[in-house]
Amino acid sequence: MMKLLRSYKTELAPDEAQVAALYRHAGAARFAYNWGLEWKSNIHLFNMLPHPKLKTPTAVDLHRELVRLKKGKLSWMYEVSKCAPQEALRDLDAAFSNFFAHRASFPNFKSRKRGVGSFTLTGAISVRPAEIHLPRIGWVRLKERGYKPCRAHINSITISERAKRWYVAVNVVIEERREELTTPPGPVVGVDRGLNSLAVVSDETVLENPRVLHRYERKLKHLQRNLCRKQKGSSNRRRAREALARLNMRIRNTRLDAIQKFTTMLAKTKPVIVVEDLDVKNMMGNHHLAKAIADAAWGEISRQLRYKTEWYGSALITADRWYPSTKRCSRCGHVKEEMPLGERVFRCEACGLVADRDLNAARNLAEWPGVARTLKTPVEGGVQSTAKPLIQPPGESGTISLGRGPGRWMS
Ligand SMILES: [Zn+2]
């Protein structure tokens, strides 16, 4: 048996009183975090001086002190579940250990200006298909029916706000037998980030940017212009800013939804998925918006593939960064001197192959020689060798175009 942690995030549909309670909880969590941070950082500063008797308080120490204060000037805290500040202090502990282990920078104060934030609850939480029971808040309706696992053991839930909408992430523990995971059949596939699409799979499946986004982007420009015209500090400006935030969120959710479906499809149906080793952090450095979005989308795709392949018993393999997946011919193995970024079509000087640039790269990834070495067990269908032609010789038109095959995958 093996324990898997899974998180299910969906939107809440709280009524007015519940919204007020959610704000109070988020406020209490933020307060506790900042209060604990102030205390801890003072002591941290003292500790730099020779002062051996001072010990950094733990989450438990801080919570005890907070409970004492609650009886006095912090009586408003009685209105919120004690979990919210408690979990915030635990988060703070984690932030400090990350800092001391050189994994993160010194924790920052949580500012209201940067959003309401989130809070975590544990304890008496139960789930029905269309609602969730939260301590101190009661039954809150969910926007999506039947998404949450009703019977799984709930570890904790995290509630967060974004553009005045509330989301709940339910973290559950699932016990799974390793043997029960059956590897999906089929050949190894390579997935490459596309130039115009979000991703291209070596079996000609394409993850397009959702079509509706074009309309949203026009609207986005309009709203941005609208915001600029409004007077600073006016309520019109606030309304315009909120409308912009809502639209940005809708765009983000639409894209995320497409990515979710795509990665689930891959992890469920492909036994081995090979991706390129790209340093996402390095890529983020550019200021071109479309490029930045594509980078972010690709980062999200690889992040999701990483955990979903584990869920569904398939494998994710990263080809090493020196493998010339874009410059290599996926039919004969010839490696081109150069393949400029703007070039949409791959043309092989050696065998005459003409193929879409991204599809050629994805097919090369599927053929990465390291796959067999990385895998412990051989895959049904086998790892295809370079000698075997993967792409049909070019037809009358001379190009193999993407998106006409039955494998086209659209959101
Ligand atoms: Zn060739």
Side-chain angles (χ1 to χ4, degrees), residues 329-334 346 348-353:
C329 170
S330 59
R331 186 163 69 189
C332 72
H334 170 75
F346 182 94
C348 178
E349 299 101 350
C351 73
L353 170 81

Side-chain angles (χ1 to χ4, degrees), residues 77-207:
M77 273 220 180
Y78 280 113
E79 286 182 54
V80 304
S81 160
K82 64 176 194 313
C83 297
Q86 204 170 353
E87 294 295 326
L89 291 174
R90 251 179 228 158
D91 275 357
L92 181 66
D93 254 14
F96 267 91
S97 7
N98 284 338
F99 167 69
F100 288 126
H102 305 287
R103 282 189 298 260
S105 51
F106 196 80
N108 278 322
F109 286 97
K110 291 197 191 287
S111 157
R112 176 69 179 81
K113 276 190 190 143
R114 290 173 62 202
V116 173
S118 63
F119 61 93
T120 300
L121 299 174
T122 51
I125 297 154
S126 33
V127 178
R128 287 182 199 153
E131 54 190 352
I132 182 164
H133 190 267
L134 308 175
R136 286 280 171 156
I137 299 172
W139 286 102
V140 182
R141 281 196 307 120
L142 300 171
K143 289 221 168 145
E144 220 175 338
R145 248 192 94 87
Y147 174 65
K148 296 286 184 197
C150 291
R151 249 162 284 157
H153 173 74
I154 296 173
N155 229 13
S156 66
I157 56 159
T158 300
I159 292 181
S160 54
E161 185 256 25
R162 205 183 173 101
K164 299 214 167 162
R165 287 169 188 245
W166 292 88
Y167 297 87
V168 58
V170 176
N171 308 309
V172 297
V173 183
I174 296 171
E175 294 207 337
E176 225 163 325
R177 247 184 236 277
R178 207 66 183 117
E179 304 85 78
E180 278 172 14
L181 287 175
T182 47
T183 307
V188 177
V189 293
V191 183
D192 193 39
R193 43 180 296 162
L195 275 182
N196 277 352
S197 52
L198 293 176
V200 177
V201 189
S202 54
D203 66 0
E204 297 190 30
T205 307
V206 180
L207 172 63

Side-chain angles (χ1 to χ4, degrees), residues 28 86 172 204 211 258 268 298 363:
Q86 204 170 353
V172 297
E204 297 190 30
R211 232 157 249 235
K268 271 188 169 172
W298 181 254
R363 289 190 163 159

